[in-house]
């Protein structure tokens, strides 16, 4: 139990002693102690537990001088770090105490530690010179005294207490007088008259020993020359002079005039004044003595803070032979004046300061001192500007810079604080020290977009990776708290615009996480997508992260990327068309094909021979089509309607026009640049009866499903025999009746559509304005406004069997063929004629509104009606 209470009692006693000592810890260490020597258990003496010195960052701050000691981070002990030389640190001052400041962080505290460096006998006595020459007149009486320069010892105390011995001599002895504990006068005393003729030179050794253990000693050789004649030395009126001089005395100031007398006569009485050679050269540089008058003046500038007093040894030497000299001492006291401004040091600085730091947080520790003394050295301190920081005095000459107001880095990111110090002199001197206090950021601001909604226009068919827009969100925080990353948060498109299902916006667009650059992941297709709305989120990198959102409305602008596509005749299959319709031979693609049509000789101007139909998948002007007759140029027998596509006679047809006319018709849209498709129409000029038979053959050909190639000459003879057979039967049985019925229908009946076959009829309005159309999303019908041109009534009825493929599996009936009634003169069966063969039609990719095909991805206008896409183009 006693073993356990022992350390506790020691700690309590130590804490009580520390409290009574004003919060200071004192240690002692001998000079020249080896590096690593433990001075004291600093952490334990300060009341810190084991492990706390390293955790709380116990460290040492020296003021002014090099400390030569340090704090061990692991144990918290105060150890010697470098050579300690008391003479270098304190000179002759005793005691030699170093004032240290110990800082402890978390929380921040400061302690004062006083380290006394004790002296050891490491310096031997040292004479000013190794050899001293003296001249003594042989007439000198026994008992004559000759002052000698004593030795000096850099140590203090007993180690500097010197004793002198002189080598044995029958003529000379040594007398040592102690003025005070710091001054010892050594005098050589003549014990026996000298005889120059017997011994002209005496050589003695003066030894000085200090009081250390072991004792150290130094020697000086005395060479005494015995002279004749002059036997009286000069004498001062007093042996000690005391003078005061302010430290700001200008160089050349007279502060003392000495007077010495000599009882001799003549040249032996003339005196020269000089400084003793015992005075250092540095001191002699500060003063000047007039050799004749004995006036002493200042030669340099004095500094009370450097040296407070000077001891000047003066020698008065006569001009006798040999010369004799007298000595005196001048004690000059330097008086302090207020010539030093205060000094301010920042001993510790805890920056940056977080903007959410609490009031009272210690930002810096400062030390203030003034080298002057008395009132000149008393210092007052203040901080400018007053807010948001203030000063709190901790110890004498120590202050803490603390936070007095809340900070906001977004308003002020850095403070320049000035600590001002003023001493109590008259007039007072001032000093200041600037402290830069940066404020560290806290994530207290969320990113904010400049706009809540961004409207972006993007042309279709843009390249994948093309930049659409740049979004920017501002976050006033800095570093990671202000570093914003972007992402597509939510949004998309669904229904028919996305191919029947929902597609998220991230499948169309992406945003660069760092720059906010919005770019397309794939080419945009206006025919698939018109508007895409989604949200972009901006998130900073703070902890916790904050975010902001913005809505982006992306509008796809239509480009003229679809060329007009030629449509087959309304019958839906190859072969001769009805009156006013051309028979179609499909080409290599939707933009190419060949048409066949028949016209009767003598047909009047304006009679419609055929109608070219085309469609454009674009919208607006890009889908507005016009038809131009490319060949033949000039005054041909045919013309084409600019917007209707109707091929009609430009004048009455004559036999001189030949049996066949080849027309090249170009279909152009109004896009930039315009796209076009070319249709080749072959018009056969026949008699009126042949034209009627061609129309009849068209009806029968649809039921029998004729299939022949337009370029196959080998099958022409077989088709010709079949046609001749049909013509012969028709001519015998009903040629006359058929001619009458057709003639009456063309002459007196109104231009109306005839419904052929079962199924409901769909009415579509068309005009010469053309096939330009525009449909909004989800629209299913379109009627172009009535124009000034001729209007047609078109009735859809099935004329052909369903084409093979997926469309043939539909249970609903096929879309009816489109027929135009054409009025003209009656035609007679004057002679049989072969019908040109046509290849079979492929499955049509488009269906006219009112049919039973599947719903298209979007409406497309054609000739005033609505076309629905049912297959691949």
């Amino acid at each position: 139990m006693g073993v356990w209470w022992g350390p506790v009692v020691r700690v309590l006693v130590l804490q009580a002693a520390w409290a009574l000592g004003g919060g200071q810890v004192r240690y002692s260490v001998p000079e020249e102690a080896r590096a690593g020597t433990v001075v004291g258990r600093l952490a334990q003496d300060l009341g810190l537990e084991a492990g706390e010195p390293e955790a709380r960052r116990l460290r040492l701050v020296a003021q002014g001088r090099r400390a030569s000691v340090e704090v061990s981070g692991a144990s918290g002990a105060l150890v010697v770090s470098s050579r300690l030389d008391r003479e270098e640190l304190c000179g002759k001052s005793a005691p030699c105490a170093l004032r240290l400041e110990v800082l402890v962080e978390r929380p921040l505290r400061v302690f004062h530690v006083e380290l006394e460096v004790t002296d050891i006998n490491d310096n031997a006595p040292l004479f000013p010179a190794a050899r001293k020459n003296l001249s003594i007149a042989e007439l000198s009486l026994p008992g004559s005294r000759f002052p000698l320069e004593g030795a000096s010892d850099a140590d203090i105390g007993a180690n500097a207490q010197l004793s002198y011995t002189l080598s044995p001599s029958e003529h000379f002895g040594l007398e040592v007088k102690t003025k005070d504990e710091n001054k010892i006068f050594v005098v050589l005393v003549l014990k026996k008259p000298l005889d120059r003729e017997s011994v002209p030179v005496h050589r003695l050794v003066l030894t000085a020993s200090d009081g250390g253990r072991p004792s150290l000693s130094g020697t000086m050789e005395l060479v005494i020359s015995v002279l004749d004649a002059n036997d009286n030395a000069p004498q001062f009126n007093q042996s000690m002079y005391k003078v005061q001089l302010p430290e700001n005395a200008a160089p050349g100031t007279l502060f003392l005039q000495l007077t010495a007398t000599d009882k001799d006569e003549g040249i032996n009485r003339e005196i020269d004044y000089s400084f003793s050679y015992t005075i250092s050269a540095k001191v002699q540089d500060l003063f000047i003595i007039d050799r004749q008058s004995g006036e002493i003046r200042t030669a340099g500038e004095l500094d009370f803070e450097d040296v407070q007093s000077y001891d000047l040894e003066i020698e008065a030497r006569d001009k006798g032979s040999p010369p004799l000299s007298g000595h005196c001492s001048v004690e000059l006291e330097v008086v302090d004046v207020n010539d030093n401004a205060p000094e301010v040091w920042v001993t510790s600085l805890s920056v940056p300061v977080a903007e959410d730091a609490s009031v009272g947080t210690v930002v810096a520790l400062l030390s203030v001192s003034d080298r002057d003394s008395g009132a000149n050295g008393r210092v007052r301190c203040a901080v400018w500007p007053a807010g948001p920081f203030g000063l709190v005095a901790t110890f004498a000459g120590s202050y803490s810079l603390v936070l007095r107001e809340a900070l906001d880095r977004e308003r002020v990111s850095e403070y320049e604080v000035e600590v001002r110090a003023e001493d109590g002199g008259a007039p007072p001197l001032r000093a200041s020290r600037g402290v830069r206090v940066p404020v560290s950021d806290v994530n207290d601001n969320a990113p904010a977009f400049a706009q809540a909604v961004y409207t972006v226009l993007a042309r279709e068919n843009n390249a994948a990776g093309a930049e659409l827009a740049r979004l920017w969100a501002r976050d006033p925080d800095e570093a990671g708290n202000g570093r914003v990353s972007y992402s597509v948060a939510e949004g998309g498109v669904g229904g028919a615009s996305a191919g029947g299902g929902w597609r998220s916006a991230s499948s169309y667009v992406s945003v660069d996480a760092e720059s906010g650059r919005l770019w397309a992941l794939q080419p945009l297709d206006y025919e698939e997508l018109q508007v895409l709305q989604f949200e972009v989120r901006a998130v900073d990198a703070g902890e916790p992260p904050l975010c902001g959102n913005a809505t982006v409305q992306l509008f796809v602008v239509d480009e003229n990327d679809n060329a007009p596509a030629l449509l087959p005749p309304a019958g839906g299959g190859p072969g001769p068309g009805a009156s006013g319709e051309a028979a179609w031979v499909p080409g290599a693609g939707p933009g190419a094909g060949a048409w066949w049509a028949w016209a009767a000789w003598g047909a009047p101007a304006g009679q419609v021979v055929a109608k070219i139909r085309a469609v454009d998948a674009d919208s607006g002007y890009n889908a507005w089509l016009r038809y131009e007759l490319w060949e033949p140029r000039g005054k041909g027998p045919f013309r084409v309607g600019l917007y209707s596509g109707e091929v009609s006679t430009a004048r009455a047809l004559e036999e001189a026009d030949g049996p066949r006319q080849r027309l090249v018709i170009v279909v152009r849209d109004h896009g930039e640049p315009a796209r076009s498709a070319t249709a080749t129409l072959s018009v056969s000029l026949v008699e009126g009866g042949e034209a009627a038979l061609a129309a009849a053959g068209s009806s029968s050909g649809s039921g029998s499903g004729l299939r022949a190639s337009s370029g196959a000459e080998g099958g022409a003879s077989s088709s010709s025999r079949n046609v001749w057979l049909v013509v012969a039967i028709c001519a015998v049985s009903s040629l006359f009746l058929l001619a009458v019925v057709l003639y009456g229908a063309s002459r007196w009946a109104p231009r109306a559509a005839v419904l052929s076959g079962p199924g409901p009829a769909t009415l579509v309005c068309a005009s010469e304005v053309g096939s330009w159309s525009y449909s909004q999303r989800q629209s299913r019908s379109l009627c172009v406004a009535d124009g000034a041109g001729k209007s047609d009534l078109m009735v859809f009825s099935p004329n052909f069997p369903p084409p093979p493929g997926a469309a043939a599996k539909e249970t609903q009936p096929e879309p009816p063929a489109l027929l135009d009634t054409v009025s003209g003169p009656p035609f007679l069966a004057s002679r049989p004629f072969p019908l040109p063969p046509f290849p079979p039609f492929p499955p049509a990719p488009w269906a006219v509104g009112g049919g039973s095909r599947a719903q298209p991805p979007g409406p497309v206008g054609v000739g005033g009606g609505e076309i629905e896409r049912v297959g691949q183009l």
Side-chain angles (χ1 to χ4, degrees):
M1 191 67 171
V3 175
W4 183 81
W5 275 102
V8 175
V9 172
R10 285 198 298 272
V11 171
L12 294 176
V13 172
L14 181 62
Q15 289 182 347
W18 178 76
L20 293 175
Q24 290 188 351
V25 179
R26 294 179 176 85
Y27 297 105
S28 176
V29 62
E31 68 172 332
E32 304 297 338
R34 297 176 59 183
T37 301
V38 177
V39 177
R41 302 177 181 270
L42 180 59
Q44 182 177 353
D45 296 340
L46 294 179
L48 300 181
E49 298 293 336
E52 278 191 306
E54 189 170 8
R56 297 183 60 183
R57 297 183 62 186
L58 180 67
R59 58 192 179 92
L60 189 66
V61 178
Q63 291 189 359
R65 302 169 179 172
R66 179 171 57 86
S68 299
V69 292
E70 64 182 7
V71 176
S72 175
S75 63
L78 187 66
V79 299
V80 177
S81 62
S82 61
R83 177 177 177 265
L84 282 170
D85 189 352
R86 191 205 62 79
E87 288 75 23
E88 179 182 350
L89 294 174
C90 301
K92 299 292 288 184
S93 299
C96 181
L98 301 181
R99 183 182 179 188
L100 308 175
E101 283 188 358
V102 178
L103 300 180
V104 180
E105 298 183 0
R106 304 171 185 165
L108 185 64
R109 295 187 61 187
V110 60
F111 301 91
H112 288 275
V113 176
E114 189 172 285
L115 177 63
E116 181 181 2
V117 181
T118 60
D119 183 59
I120 64 173
N121 191 26
D122 59 340
N123 292 280
L126 181 66
F127 285 93
R131 182 176 180 177
K132 171 67 176 176
N133 294 321
L134 295 177
S135 297
I136 300 177
E138 64 175 342
L139 298 179
S140 297
L141 299 176
S144 298
R145 307 164 66 85
F146 305 96
L148 298 177
E149 294 80 7
S152 62
D153 195 323
D155 296 324
I156 60 173
N159 296 328
Q161 293 179 359
L162 303 181
S163 60
Y164 297 86
T165 57
L166 188 66
S167 59
S169 174
E170 61 177 345
H171 292 89
F172 297 96
L174 193 65
E175 181 180 342
V176 179
K177 290 185 178 181
T178 302
K179 179 180 179 181
D180 53 40
E181 59 179 346
N182 294 324
K183 293 188 178 182
I184 298 178
F185 293 95
V186 180
V187 179
L188 185 66
V189 180
L190 183 63
K191 298 188 298 181
K192 182 179 179 180
L194 299 174
D195 185 4
R196 188 191 63 81
E197 290 71 33
S198 176
V199 181
V201 176
H202 296 264
R203 296 184 179 274
L204 305 176
V205 176
L206 178 62
T207 303
S209 301
D210 60 25
R213 292 179 180 273
S215 176
L216 301 178
S217 62
T219 60
M220 181 176 66
E221 182 184 11
L222 298 177
V223 179
I224 304 173
S225 299
V226 180
L227 303 176
D228 257 348
N230 189 20
D231 55 354
N232 289 288
Q235 298 290 327
F236 290 95
N237 53 2
Q238 61 187 78
S239 61
M240 174 70 67
Y241 296 88
K242 292 186 177 181
V243 182
Q244 288 186 338
L245 188 65
E247 65 173 330
N248 60 349
T253 301
L254 174 65
F255 62 90
L256 182 62
Q257 182 172 5
L258 299 175
T259 300
T261 58
D262 195 328
K263 296 180 179 180
D264 293 332
E265 294 289 335
I267 193 171
N268 292 330
R269 191 174 182 176
E270 295 178 4
I271 299 175
D272 288 335
Y273 298 92
S274 65
F275 290 113
S276 174
Y277 64 89
T278 60
I279 300 176
S280 64
K282 181 180 179 180
V283 176
Q284 292 188 28
D285 291 339
L286 295 175
F287 304 96
I288 299 175
I289 186 170
D290 191 306
R291 300 184 65 88
Q292 301 298 324
S293 63
E295 295 178 348
I296 303 178
R297 300 175 182 270
T298 59
E301 296 180 353
L302 305 180
D303 190 358
F304 173 84
E305 288 71 36
D306 188 17
V307 179
Q308 289 79 35
S309 64
Y310 294 90
D311 288 332
L312 305 178
E313 294 292 331
I314 308 299
E315 181 183 63
R317 184 183 296 272
D318 62 21
K319 296 183 179 180
S321 182
L324 301 179
S325 61
H327 299 81
C328 74
S329 297
V330 178
E331 185 176 308
L332 175 61
E333 180 182 356
V334 181
V335 180
D336 180 60
V337 296
N338 190 27
D339 61 341
N340 290 280
E343 295 178 328
V344 181
W345 296 283
V346 178
T347 59
S348 178
L349 185 62
S350 298
V351 294
V353 181
E355 64 176 325
D356 60 348
S358 60
V359 175
T361 300
V362 177
V363 177
L365 296 179
L366 303 104
S367 295
V368 181
S369 64
D370 195 314
R371 297 180 62 193
D372 296 323
S373 61
N376 297 331
R378 288 193 292 269
V379 182
R380 300 183 300 272
C381 289
V383 62
W384 186 90
F389 301 97
L391 282 180
V392 176
T394 54
F395 295 97
S398 298
Y399 294 87
S400 297
L401 183 67
V402 299
L403 185 64
R404 295 192 183 275
E405 300 174 7
L407 303 176
D408 185 4
R409 190 205 66 82
E410 285 70 35
R411 184 173 59 86
V412 180
S413 61
E414 187 176 272
Y415 290 88
E416 291 290 341
V417 180
E418 187 178 53
V419 178
R420 297 178 175 179
E422 181 183 89
D423 62 22
L429 299 180
R430 299 175 179 84
S432 64
R433 173 74 65 176
V435 180
R436 186 177 67 89
V437 183
V439 182
S440 62
D441 184 60
V442 174
N443 191 26
D444 56 347
N445 292 278
F449 286 90
Q451 301 174 216
V453 178
Y454 288 85
T455 300
V456 179
L457 299 179
R459 293 187 177 275
E460 70 170 333
N461 300 320
N462 58 293
E467 181 175 338
L468 302 178
R470 284 184 183 268
L471 308 180
W472 180 73
R474 179 181 179 271
D475 194 323
D477 296 324
E478 69 175 2
N481 296 331
R483 186 170 62 251
V484 179
S485 60
Y486 303 88
S487 62
V488 177
E490 60 183 15
V493 63
S497 298
W502 170 265
R503 292 189 64 182
S504 63
S506 59
S507 63
Y508 291 99
V509 296
S510 179
V511 63
D512 187 81
E514 295 182 1
S515 66
R517 183 175 71 96
L518 184 67
W519 50 281
L521 290 175
Q522 62 182 2
L524 301 176
D525 189 0
Y526 176 83
E527 287 70 34
E528 176 189 344
L529 175 68
Q530 288 81 41
V531 180
L532 178 64
Q533 180 170 312
F534 56 93
E535 284 191 356
V536 174
R537 175 173 297 170
V539 182
D540 61 26
E543 186 61 38
L546 303 178
C547 66
N549 296 327
T551 300
V552 178
Q553 292 180 342
L554 176 63
F555 292 88
V556 181
V557 180
D558 182 57
E559 288 283 341
N560 190 25
D561 59 337
N562 292 283
L566 297 172
L567 298 179
S579 177
E581 283 293 338
W584 179 60
V585 178
W595 276 261
W596 290 82
W598 293 268
W601 282 324
Q607 181 176 348
V608 177
V609 175
K611 184 169 184 176
I612 306 301
R613 300 190 305 160
V615 67
D616 195 315
D618 295 322
S619 65
Y621 275 88
N622 296 329
W624 185 12
L625 303 181
R626 61 182 178 182
Y627 302 83
E628 300 174 1
L629 184 59
W630 191 256
E631 291 182 7
R633 294 182 179 272
K635 297 181 179 180
F638 297 97
R639 63 186 177 188
V640 64
L642 181 60
Y643 298 110
S644 65
E646 292 180 345
V647 180
S648 61
T649 57
R651 55 177 173 79
L653 300 178
E654 302 172 355
E655 291 189 6
D657 293 326
R660 181 177 295 179
Q661 291 285 332
R662 181 178 178 273
L663 307 181
V664 178
I665 299 172
V666 177
V667 184
R668 299 181 187 274
D669 58 26
H670 284 72
E672 250 338 294
R675 294 178 177 269
S676 62
T678 304
T680 303
L681 176 62
S682 296
V683 181
S684 298
L685 303 182
V686 298
E687 297 291 343
E690 294 177 352
L693 290 178
S698 175
S699 299
S700 62
S702 63
S704 60
L706 295 177
R707 302 178 182 275
S709 173
S710 62
E713 297 294 339
S717 60
S718 175
S719 297
S720 178
R721 288 192 296 270
N722 294 334
V723 171
W724 278 107
L725 180 59
V726 173
V727 171
I729 295 173
C730 291
V732 172
S733 61
S734 58
L735 181 59
F736 177 80
L737 180 60
L738 180 61
V740 173
V741 173
L742 292 178
Y743 181 79
S746 62
R747 278 295 184 183
W748 295 288
R751 300 178 59 86
V754 179
L755 181 62
S756 174
T762 303
L763 180 64
V764 179
C765 298
S767 70
E768 284 189 346
V769 174
S771 60
W772 174 77
S773 65
Y774 180 79
S775 301
Q776 299 294 334
R777 190 192 305 184
Q778 306 299 333
S779 64
R780 286 289 175 250
S781 63
L782 176 68
C783 183
V784 179
D786 292 335
K790 142 183 171 329
S791 298
D792 296 331
L793 183 62
M794 293 171 285
V795 179
F796 298 83
S797 61
N799 287 337
F800 296 97
K809 298 178 182 179
E810 299 287 346
T811 59
Q812 299 294 331
E814 289 293 317
L818 179 61
L819 300 178
D820 286 348
T821 59
V822 181
S823 60
F827 48 87
L828 303 176
S830 59
R831 59 181 175 86
F833 59 92
L835 296 178
F838 291 92
F841 284 162
W846 304 92
V848 183
S852 59
R853 298 287 186 180
Q855 294 295 332
V860 181
V862 54
E866 179 170 330
I867 302 301
E868 300 183 18
R869 181 175 176 178
V870 297
Q872 297 295 328
L873 292 177

